[in-house]
Amino acid sequence: DTGVSQDPRHKITKRGQNVTFRCDPISEHNRLYWYRQTLGQGPEFLTYFQNEAQLEKSRLLSDRFSAERPKGSFSTLEIQRTEQGDSAMYLCASSIRDRVYNEQFFGPGTRLTVL
Amino acid sequence: DQQVKQNSPSLSVQEGRISILNCDYTNSMFDYFLWYKKYPAEGPTFLISISSIKDKNEDGRFTVFLNKSAKHLSLHIVPSQPGDSAVYFCAASATSGSRLTFGEGTQLTVNP
C-alpha cells in the first residue's frame, strides 16, 4: 500500500523560471488537493480536484499558478515566472469522497527555493 | 483572517504525563476537525478527527474533545512518549471533502 508521492522532493530555481511539480495520490483516492506551507505556518489551501475536475481554487492562487489532473490520477502544479515569495513547501494530499471525517493523506512535499 | 488558531507555539511535557494541545476556531460553518502531526522534512500525518455531532473521539493514547459553543477543541495524549515530539496542527473543514483550514501549529517536546 503506497502513500501519496511527490516529485521532485527539492527544487532550486532562479527567479523568472518556470517549475512543475508532480503528485501521485493513493490509487483509489478520487480527491486530490494542493497546499503550500511556509516556515512557522500551517499549510494553506491552493486548489483541489475530484477526479479530473478542478472544483475549487484559492484566491491565493495567482494566474502564474496552474494545476491539472488530466486523467483523474496524478496531478501537476506549474508555477510560471517564479518569484522569491514562491519559496515554500508544496504539499499534495488525497482522500476518498464520502469518507466520513474527510481525512486527507499528505505526501512528503516538494520544497521550492527561488533564488 | 486566521479562522483556526493555535495560541501556544510550543509545549514541553515529561514522558508519561499528559499533553494537552488546544485549538480555537471562528468559523461556525466548520463541521469536521482533524489533528495532524508533522516531523521535519515530512508531510503532515493524520492522527485523529471528530465530527461536530460528537464531543469526544478516542483512538488509543489520543483523544480529541470538541466544545462547539466555545468553538474550541483540544487533543489529549496520554501517556506522552518521546516519539510524540513533533509539530501538531489542528485543521477544520466546512463539509466532508472540502478544503482544510489549518492552525499555525504547536511544537510538542516530550522529555525523557
Side-chain angles (χ1 to χ4, degrees), chain A residues 9 31 33 35 37 40-43 45 48 56 58 91 99-104 106-108, chain B residues 32 34 36 38 41-44 46 49-51 54 89 93 96-100 102-104:
Chain A
R9 295 291 306 275
R31 289 192 167 174
Y33 310 79
Y35 292 84
Q37 185 177 20
Q41 300 296 316
F45 171 79
Y48 92 94
E56 188 179 0
S58 167
L91 294 162
R99 184 97 183 197
V100 174
Y101 291 123
N102 187 28
E103 299 153 14
Q104 296 179 21
F106 283 81
Chain B
Y32 298 89
L34 307 90
Y36 284 83
K38 188 178 184 303
E42 294 183 11
F46 170 74
S49 60
I50 189 167
S51 165
K54 293 188 171 184
F89 290 100
S93 71
S96 179
S98 66
R99 61 162 71 186
L100 292 177
F102 284 83
E104 309 94 322

Side-chain angles (χ1 to χ4, degrees), chain B residues 50-104:
Chain B
I50 189 167
S51 165
S52 61
I53 62 173
K54 293 188 171 184
D55 55 16
K56 177 181 173 181
N57 189 29
E58 277 183 89
D59 184 0
R61 296 186 298 116
F62 302 92
T63 303
V64 56
F65 295 91
L66 175 62
N67 183 333
K68 280 195 70 178
S69 60
K71 294 191 176 68
H72 176 84
L73 66 156
S74 61
L75 174 68
H76 292 209
I77 306 173
V78 183
S80 301
Q81 300 172 353
D84 295 329
S85 297
V87 178
Y88 288 77
F89 290 100
C90 166
S93 71
T95 57
S96 179
S98 66
R99 61 162 71 186
L100 292 177
T101 301
F102 284 83
E104 309 94 322

Side-chain angles (χ1 to χ4, degrees), chain A residues 63-96:
Chain A
D63 57 5
R64 296 184 298 105
F65 287 69
S66 62
E68 292 183 342
R69 194 182 183 199
K71 297 181 181 178
S73 57
F74 73 91
S75 175
T76 57
L77 177 69
E78 181 183 16
I79 309 174
Q80 296 182 325
R81 306 181 303 280
T82 53
E83 302 173 355
Q84 288 185 326
D86 297 332
S87 296
M89 174 75 83
Y90 289 83
L91 294 162
C92 176
S94 68
S95 72
I96 298 178

